Structure formats: structure tokens, C-alpha cells
Amino acid sequence: MSAPRVVSVADASPAQRAGLRVNDELLAVDGRVPRDVIEYRLFVDEADPELEIRRGHEELTVQLRKAAGEVPGIEVSSALFDRVRTCDNHCEFCFIYQLPKGMRRSLYLKDDDYRLSFLYGNFTTLTRFTELDLERVLTERLSPLFVSIHSTDPELRARMLRNPRGATSLRWLRALLDGGIEVHGQVVVCPGTNDADALETTLAGLVDEYSDLTTVACVPLGVSDYTTEPSMRPHTVAEAAAVIDLVEQWQELCLRSLGRRLVYAADEYYLLAGRQFPAVAAYDGFPQHENGIGMARAFEAAFHGDVSAAHGVQPGFFSWVDGAPAAGYRAPRAPRAPRAPRAPGALEPGTQEQVRVGQAPIAVLTGEYGAQVLEPLLRDQDPPIRLIPVRNGFFGGNIAVSGLMTGTDIARALRHEPAGQRYLLPDVCLSEGRFLDGMTVADLPLPVEVIPSDGYSLRLALESPAGPIRSESVAVVLGASP
Ligand code: SF4
């Protein structure tokens, strides 16, 4: 167990009034030691909780004066205070096995922890789920959860997870649904393994046995140059089109029988197959946006001013592994001081070379898939906006999403670009200020402006001579884990 540290105290909050400080370690609440941020929030929900804290070498007791249900006003340094539950699977498509050596240790962590599923939207296979976990989920109503299904054929699922428990662990999915927990599922589709007839069998199995799932995303596996699995390969164009056709066919069936679509195909399939994305309405509010379902349409809608579609950075692959705290946790956050707007034409601070942002030509850095989405949106802008697609040489393979852009590749793309222009970069490729390869924005050869990864923010950045508000960054999105 490692005691969480206070990382911020909100102004005028019960915590501030009680004298809590940044760096205090939280040991217990009313004599109970919370195992994670979920329990912490439940414990401090009571009226007037008593906190045991460690400040330096001193242990203190602090009583918060607050009503039941009132937010105490502190944010802590980690989501889990005990050990994260790692997965006991060895999936042949696992992207973590496809990372090059020498990246930050936390990126190699294979989590399969239902608490991270609830907090951050990470997918869990349930192979290590237990009766006690079920009891906790049902008692504390940890809903929604996100479950990797891959196949409803027990033998195929066990083979894909390389774990005999893969054959039986979907019984927990049934128990969660029976207990009224909202569950979103995903199928990572691997060509030659669980696509085509196998995918059809899975979709039929879902409708038969798990039709009370809220949504199911069909996402393609990511294949990097570092895969050691000879049978894992990207989809061909025809295979991508076949997945779309099958999913759309089952959407129609589900609409008729269940009154909702249930299954959705990832944006990557439409890009790969060269097909038009479905209409905004066909995404039913984008419940799996962070898993790459409808991102392009949501981005487009937000770019054209539909603020309700302005999804920002969402939790996803690698989202919590650096010990990110409550970033994805659905809880009121300690308010931050708003950044004062700069005057038109003012200089962008904190960059290697200051640029007159009100006058400079603009270029947008994005992954190769992002460029396909942005090109029609930016085509007729006046003055013209340039797109700089960043080829992913770091991972290679079929990796083309913006979230997996690395500093190395962005630096290469910028190397021959002129100075004195504004370069906009979506924050989805940064986690706690670092790219996946450990570089930071300051390491790039030209100054860039990091903006939230949604269409509305891009529109604001293009229109604002004062430049965008820099966002916090947490995550990337690739539907490959677990
Ligand atoms: S894909 Fe997920 S479940 Fe499979 S081995 Fe990797 S981390 Fe574990």
C-alpha cells in the first residue's frame, strides 16, 4: 500500500479550511485505509470525516468540517493506493508486447483492473475477476465498466487471450449485467483469427447472450514493426470493408430486434476502406468515442460549432500508467485558475522561438489518419491552413493515429519547416507533458502550440489571434488494449 499524496487543495474548500496542504500523505479516513480513490471518495463523502495524514515526519489528525456529500476539495496523486491488478493474459495482438525496448517502464504495465475500467474507461478481460470483486462492483455501483470480449466462442477467446480462463471469464460479464451494471464491450478484430465468420458468430453470440450490453465496439488491432507474432497483420482494404458491412448489417438487425444499434465499427475501418463515415446520429451520442468510434464525425461536428460534440482528450490506451490521478475520474475537480487571455498579436510565451501568433501562417500537425479527417475540413480555409501529416516511423506497421505520434516523428516532420509560423499539435499525443518516446514539446526543433484534441478547440485556435489555451494531456486512443 502506498499512501496517496495531496497534489492540490481547492480554494475555500473544507480541506483548505482544515489546513490540509499539498504533499500531505493521506493515511486513513475515519480509521479506515482506502485502497483506491473510489474508496477514498466514499469514505470522505460522510459528514465531518477525520483524516489521518503524514506531513514530513509528523502524523496528524485533521477533521474536515463539511456536510455529507460535500466535496472535500483535494486531489490526490494516484488512483490506486494498493497494487494495480495486472493481466494474466498473453494476447497475440497486445500492443504492449509490440513496444520497442527502452520506453518508460510504466508503459509496459499490462493492467487488467476493473477499478481502472471504472475510473478511466480501460478495458478489462475479467480473467482475474473474483466473487469479491463482483460484490464490490455491485455494492458500490461501479458503473459503467468496459469489457474486452473479442469472441463469444470460449475456445477462440481462450486462444486469443492465451489463457484458459478466457473461456470462462465472460460469466462475470453476465453477472455484471444481471446486477444492473452498465457495460460497454469491445472486440479487437484480428484478420484471419476472429474476423469474417468468427466475427459474425461473435455478433450473433452477443445478441443472443449479452444483448443488455450498452455498446460493443469493433476495433482493428494495431500492428507495430516490433510485433513478434507472425500471424498478426493489419487488415487489407477488403477485410476492412467486410468488417464495416458485417457491423452495419448487425446494426440493422439490432435496431429491429432491440431498438438500438448495439455494435459500432471503428473510424479506422472507414478510413482504411475509403468509405464515408456514418452520420452523427448513427453514433447514438458517441458512447465509445474514446475507443475510436465516431471520433471523426464528432470532430467534424464540433469544428462546425456543435459544442455538444466537442469531446476532448479521453482516457484510453496508456491513459493511467504514469500514475495519472483523477484525470478520468468522474468527480468534481479542484478548480484551476483560468489563464489570462493574451492580447491579439501578443507573443506566445514559453516557446523556443516566439511567434507573432496573430499574424503567422498556420499549420496543423496530425497523424496520417487525422490528416485524412482534417483535409476536407481545412481545404477551403482562408487564409489557407496547411496540414502536416506525421508518418509514424517510431512504431511503424499500421500505426497512423494521432494519439501515437512521438516526439521523434514530429521533430522529423518539423525539421524542414520554416520558422515564424504557428504549428498546432493535438494534446492527445502527450501524457503528462511527454510524448510516448519521452520527448517533450520543448525538445522539438520549432515551437508548437498544444491544443485540446477536439474540433471546437481547433476552430478556436484557428480563429483566435491570441492563440489557444494549452490543455492538460493524458491519453492516446487505439483500440488494442487489452
Ligand atoms: S491486450 Fe490487454 S489483456 Fe491482452 S495481454 Fe495485453 S494488456 Fe493483457
Side-chain angles (χ1 to χ4, degrees):
M1 239 14 202
S2 88
R5 220 171 15 84
V6 174
V7 292
S8 73
V9 181
D11 288 343
S13 63
Q16 193 189 50
R17 287 196 295 274
L20 275 168
R21 299 184 198 156
V22 167
N23 285 330
D24 285 345
E25 286 174 85
L26 178 67
L27 306 177
V29 181
D30 289 330
R32 296 174 293 181
V33 179
R35 288 172 289 180
D36 45 51
V37 75
I38 306 165
E39 274 190 347
Y40 156 74
R41 284 304 306 272
L42 287 172
F43 294 170
V44 295
D45 207 43
E46 310 283 332
D48 301 333
E50 199 172 74
L51 309 188
E52 286 163 48
I53 60 163
R54 186 185 297 128
R55 182 174 293 156
H57 297 296
E58 222 183 338
E59 291 195 5
L60 308 167
T61 301
V62 175
Q63 177 127 44
L64 301 188
R65 294 291 173 202
K66 65 178 265 307
E70 187 182 353
V71 176
I74 63 173
E75 209 171 281
V76 293
S77 56
S78 59
L80 305 186
F81 313 154
D82 57 2
R83 290 172 74 87
V84 60
R85 191 175 296 173
T86 52
C87 89
D88 57 349
N89 308 314
H90 304 279
C91 306
E92 48 193 350
F93 54 85
C94 179
F95 198 70
I96 292 170
Y97 295 140
Q98 302 181 55
L99 297 176
K101 289 196 170 63
M103 299 177 77
R104 337 195 256 291
R105 266 184 63 204
S106 60
L107 295 177
Y108 299 96
L109 180 72
K110 298 191 309 169
D111 81 78
D112 201 356
D113 196 311
Y114 67 93
R115 297 172 298 174
L116 297 176
S117 184
F118 170 67
L119 291 168
Y120 293 99
N122 294 7
F123 280 87
T124 171
T125 60
L126 299 173
T127 51
R128 296 193 61 192
F129 203 72
T130 66
E131 201 69 55
L132 278 179
D133 298 333
L134 178 66
E135 194 183 313
R136 183 176 175 197
V137 169
L138 298 186
T139 308
E140 296 179 10
R141 304 312 296 169
L142 304 186
S143 177
L145 293 180
F146 297 79
V147 172
S148 276
I149 295 164
H150 307 323
S151 173
T152 50
D153 172 353
E155 200 187 309
L156 177 56
R157 187 168 190 267
R159 186 149 50 84
M160 289 185 72
L161 300 184
R162 290 195 177 128
N163 183 348
R165 274 201 295 279
T168 52
S169 64
L170 286 185
R171 74 182 191 280
W172 295 119
L173 172 59
R174 190 62 264 150
L176 290 167
L177 292 166
D178 288 344
I181 299 299
E182 178 183 333
V183 183
H184 297 269
Q186 78 165 352
V187 174
V188 175
V189 184
C190 304
T193 300
N194 64 337
D195 65 338
D197 290 350
L199 180 58
E200 175 131 44
T201 304
T202 294
L203 297 181
L206 291 174
V207 171
D208 256 9
E209 299 174 58
Y210 307 103
S211 62
D212 36 358
L213 279 160
T214 306
T215 62
V216 177
C218 293
V219 302
L221 83 166
V223 184
S224 90
D225 280 349
Y226 299 89
T227 182
T228 54
E229 300 285 349
S231 61
M232 292 295 105
R233 60 169 178 81
H235 294 265
T236 63
V237 172
E239 286 166 344
V243 170
I244 295 171
D245 290 341
L246 194 56
V247 166
E248 291 186 348
Q249 187 188 323
W250 277 88
Q251 284 185 327
E252 276 174 41
L253 280 167
C254 290
L255 268 175
R256 281 205 296 275
S257 57
L258 307 173
R260 58 200 175 86
R261 288 177 182 81
L262 181 64
V263 292
Y264 302 84
D267 290 9
E268 276 186 71
Y269 282 119
Y270 290 88
L271 291 168
L272 185 56
R275 299 258 187 102
Q276 290 285 313
F277 294 111
V280 166
Y283 289 107
D284 302 314
F286 304 105
Q288 289 225 37
H289 176 272
E290 62 270 34
N291 204 7
I293 308 291
M295 266 184 177
R297 276 291 185 231
F299 191 97
E300 182 188 25
F303 185 79
H304 291 307
D306 178 358
V307 182
S308 66
H311 295 262
V313 172
Q314 297 286 328
F317 197 59
F318 297 143
S319 64
W320 93 283
V321 288
D322 285 324
Y329 183 49
R330 299 164 195 75
R333 310 289 307 280
R336 294 172 195 282
R339 181 173 132 177
R342 290 190 303 282
L347 299 179
E348 171 74 70
T351 52
Q352 299 152 19
E353 180 184 343
Q354 293 181 331
V355 172
R356 286 199 177 274
V357 293
Q359 303 157 8
I362 302 176
V364 180
L365 291 147
T366 180
E368 290 177 306
Y369 281 150
Q372 279 181 254
V373 174
L374 287 179
E375 196 280 329
L377 300 181
L378 300 181
R379 192 181 294 151
D380 301 320
Q381 295 291 311
D382 183 25
I385 310 293
R386 279 191 313 125
L387 264 179
I388 305 179
V390 177
R391 195 183 65 78
N392 199 315
F394 187 86
F395 289 114
N398 69 342
I399 308 304
V401 294
S402 303
L404 291 179
M405 287 190 294
T406 60
T408 313
D409 289 325
I410 295 166
R412 193 187 53 243
L414 282 173
R415 197 154 295 137
H416 302 294
E417 292 292 334
Q421 301 202 359
R422 289 177 66 194
Y423 294 97
L424 306 185
L425 180 73
D427 65 355
V428 71
C429 57
L430 285 160
S431 174
E432 300 194 334
R434 289 195 176 272
F435 297 103
L436 284 166
D437 58 0
M439 286 176 65
T440 67
V441 166
D443 298 326
L444 297 175
L446 289 171
V448 301
E449 294 171 32
V450 179
I451 64 168
S453 307
D454 64 85
Y456 187 68
S457 299
L458 175 60
R459 161 67 63 198
L460 284 182
L462 297 179
E463 290 176 352
S464 166
I469 303 294
R470 183 175 172 138
S471 73
E472 290 201 67
S473 62
V474 281
V476 297
V477 177
L478 180 77
S481 172

